Amino acid sequence: MNETVHLSNAGSGVEYAAPDATVTVKIGAEHTGGLYELFEIDAPRADASPPHSESWSKAFYVLQGRILVQAGDQGYDLGPGASISIPAGTVNTFSVLTPSAKFLTISQTARMSAFLADLA
């Protein structure tokens, strides 16, 4: 494992246009020895992406706006300062309840950025 200090300033990071949001890689797996990644999500109000599951665990932390996270059979209304962790294999999706929302996503391993790169 070859970790180094990594600084990601405002406005920096690889950016992906996902179907439901703009996703910016703030800390990539290459900076954490492949243990986790940190993404900034900027999403407008729109239809939710279809419910899906991933083979990695993830967490959301809301910075601005409100989102409704569907995880399994439960819906969770998250506003600024709220967070949720979603275990690997859990069917999930989110929808934005305000005109827009900004939140952080933490994902285990490098799989989420690899998935986003494949979408691009």
Side-chain angles (χ1 to χ4, degrees):
M1 182 161 64
N2 187 19
E3 295 180 39
T4 60
V5 172
H6 171 72
L7 171 65
S8 179
N9 289 311
S12 68
V14 176
E15 194 173 277
Y16 294 102
D20 55 356
T22 300
V23 180
T24 304
V25 181
K26 299 307 288 182
I27 301 173
E30 68 273 16
H31 303 291
T32 67
L35 297 175
Y36 68 91
E37 299 175 301
L38 176 68
F39 303 90
E40 182 179 86
I41 314 295
D42 194 354
R45 186 183 336 214
D47 292 336
S49 62
H52 57 280
S53 65
E54 297 94 358
S55 59
W56 59 85
S57 297
K58 65 183 177 183
F60 296 157
Y61 179 84
V62 178
L63 300 169
Q64 299 172 353
R66 282 183 43 233
I67 62 174
L68 178 65
V69 175
Q70 185 74 32
D73 294 334
Q74 287 287 123
Y76 302 89
D77 187 338
L78 281 70
S83 62
I84 189 169
S85 63
I86 302 172
T90 303
V91 175
N92 70 92
T93 190
F94 74 89
S95 46
V96 177
L97 302 175
T98 51
S100 65
K102 187 173 282 197
F103 56 98
L104 301 176
T105 297
I106 300 167
S107 171
Q108 287 184 320
T109 72
R111 293 185 198 144
M112 186 166 161
S113 62
F115 172 75
L116 292 166
D118 286 346
L119 279 179

